[in-house]
Amino acid sequence: PQFEEPKEARRADVTYDDIGGLGNSVDQVREMVELPLRHPELFQRLGIDPPKGVLLHGPPGTGKTLLARAVANETEAHFFHIAGPEIMGSRYGESEERLRQVFHEAAQNAPSIIFIDEIDSIAPKREQVTGEVERRIVAQLLTLMDGLEPRQNIVVIGATNRRDAIDEALRRPGRFDREIVIGVPDQKGRREVLAIHTRGMPLSDDIDLDEIARTTYGFVGADLGALAREAAMDSLRRVLPDINLREGIPPEVIEKLSVCQDDFLSAMKRIQPSALREIMIQA
Ligand code: ATP
């Protein structure tokens, strides 16, 4: 199917172990999405409808996409990814057609998760909408969600960092009626995320992840990932002068590569938390 991701992408897919610092948000997603997809019989027995739509909201780079992928992967559900801004087709009716197609493919491949990233861009508040296109897309999305039957085993996950910018009609019962906050991690959360992003790295003995977590106030998951990558690159730059790039690199040099605390400190001078970056751009 067109919107399903290539097999290679899915094979390397994320698990709950790849997500740090989100506390009970992961448990909430599991209860609202994984449980009904895996065990619809529990909901049938209780006579209640499982949620059709769940809204993840929080600042950029906090792990909303990561979490949606993880729950799909762990549930062995097919994952359909719709990037809000991208689905806006130019030809008349194209965007609605794409939405219908995704819902159709999701139904045929159930259990399925349809993930709509930046949902505020396709479903902004209707009074704010200037374009006819957006109005039609919201209407189409509402129709498709209203048409979902519990037995179809499809959950739609929407992600946004501007919850208040979303058309209220989408948040009514039977649509995106559950909301989960995906927040900026605290120190303990940052420690967890750092552990995840450094677990494949050769770390030197002087590494103090607690200290790094303490001094990275305002960093979200994506920032911490970038920080770890930059620190690793710095460790590489330290040994580069001793290497002749035209020749093979001796295995002992590769073996000796290790990322130390100073690599993190120098990387920190270049990596700004994204929240702060936004403030600086606005200023
Ligand atoms: P956006 O709103 O910009 O789409 P998002 O909340 O969906 O952001 P992701 O795309 O999930 O954020 O995160 C980007 C990358 O940052 C992830 O692939 C991962 O490497 C890292 N990351 C973000 N959050 C976390 C987290 N909680 N734990 C571990 N890594 C994280």
Side-chain angles (χ1 to χ4, degrees):
Q2 197 186 341
F3 289 94
E4 202 188 322
E5 302 204 302
K7 288 245 159 25
E8 312 80 73
R10 271 193 296 147
R11 216 178 298 140
D13 229 332
V14 283
T15 70
Y16 298 130
D17 291 340
D18 298 314
I19 302 171
L22 295 188
N24 75 347
S25 302
V26 180
D27 299 330
Q28 288 182 51
V29 170
R30 294 192 68 174
E31 185 187 299
M32 289 178 203
V33 181
E34 181 173 347
L35 195 59
L37 285 181
R38 267 193 203 277
H39 299 292
E41 71 277 14
L42 296 175
F43 292 78
Q44 272 159 20
R45 171 80 179 117
L46 289 172
I48 54 173
D49 288 339
K52 291 181 183 179
V54 175
L55 198 61
L56 305 182
H57 78 94
T62 45
K64 298 182 290 297
T65 309
L66 202 63
L67 184 50
R69 275 177 191 285
V71 73
N73 188 37
E74 301 253 7
T75 313
E76 292 174 49
H78 281 86
F79 186 70
F80 296 86
H81 186 176
I82 300 176
E86 266 167 42
I87 200 160
M88 315 285 279
S90 46
R91 200 169 48 76
Y92 187 89
E94 199 175 357
S95 315
E96 298 95 297
E97 173 58 33
R98 283 164 140 187
L99 275 180
R100 284 196 297 272
Q101 201 180 335
V102 174
F103 274 73
H104 177 73
E105 286 175 15
Q108 293 200 314
N109 292 280
S112 297
I113 288 174
I114 300 174
F115 179 65
I116 310 181
D117 202 2
E118 296 184 60
I119 192 166
D120 43 282
S121 66
I122 65 168
K125 284 202 168 122
R126 276 183 277 195
E127 60 263 35
Q128 292 173 354
V129 169
T130 42
E132 163 70 12
V133 185
E134 286 91 342
R135 223 184 308 263
R136 289 197 325 252
I137 296 178
V138 176
Q140 179 65 82
L141 186 56
L142 294 178
T143 307
L144 288 167
M145 287 197 66
D146 290 346
L148 286 179
E149 300 284 344
R151 56 176 172 77
Q152 278 183 293
N153 257 358
I154 300 174
V155 178
V156 188
I157 301 180
T160 180
N161 39 56
R162 305 187 309 142
R163 177 176 49 161
D164 299 329
I166 295 177
D167 194 324
E168 270 124 41
L170 268 181
R171 290 162 66 187
R172 296 226 181 91
R175 297 167 178 173
F176 291 95
D177 53 7
R178 316 291 161 97
E179 296 186 356
I180 300 175
V181 178
I182 309 295
V184 175
D186 60 7
Q187 185 176 332
K188 183 171 158 281
R190 295 196 294 276
R191 175 72 174 76
E192 282 174 37
V193 177
L194 283 165
I196 289 166
H197 284 274
T198 55
R199 71 188 163 197
M201 290 181 186
L203 297 178
S204 89
D205 289 342
D206 76 334
I207 280 282
D208 185 349
L209 291 184
D210 289 315
E211 176 64 12
I212 301 168
R214 200 178 60 76
T215 51
T216 43
Y217 179 82
F219 280 59
V220 294
D223 300 329
L224 294 165
L227 180 70
R229 270 192 306 279
E230 274 302 307
M233 286 309 293
D234 277 352
S235 78
L236 185 57
R237 287 181 193 116
R238 276 193 286 118
V239 302
L240 276 186
D242 307 329
I243 299 174
N244 182 345
L245 291 180
R246 278 194 217 104
E247 287 166 17
I249 298 172
E252 59 271 20
V253 173
I254 294 177
E255 239 156 69
K256 260 200 259 156
L257 274 176
S258 83
V259 188
C260 67
Q261 191 74 358
D262 271 345
D263 295 325
F264 270 91
L265 293 182
S266 68
M268 233 181 278
K269 296 194 182 115
R270 298 191 304 276
I271 305 281
Q272 295 282 324
S274 43
L276 191 62
R277 263 203 312 275
E278 266 168 39
I279 292 166
M280 294 202 314
I281 289 167
Q282 278 165 14

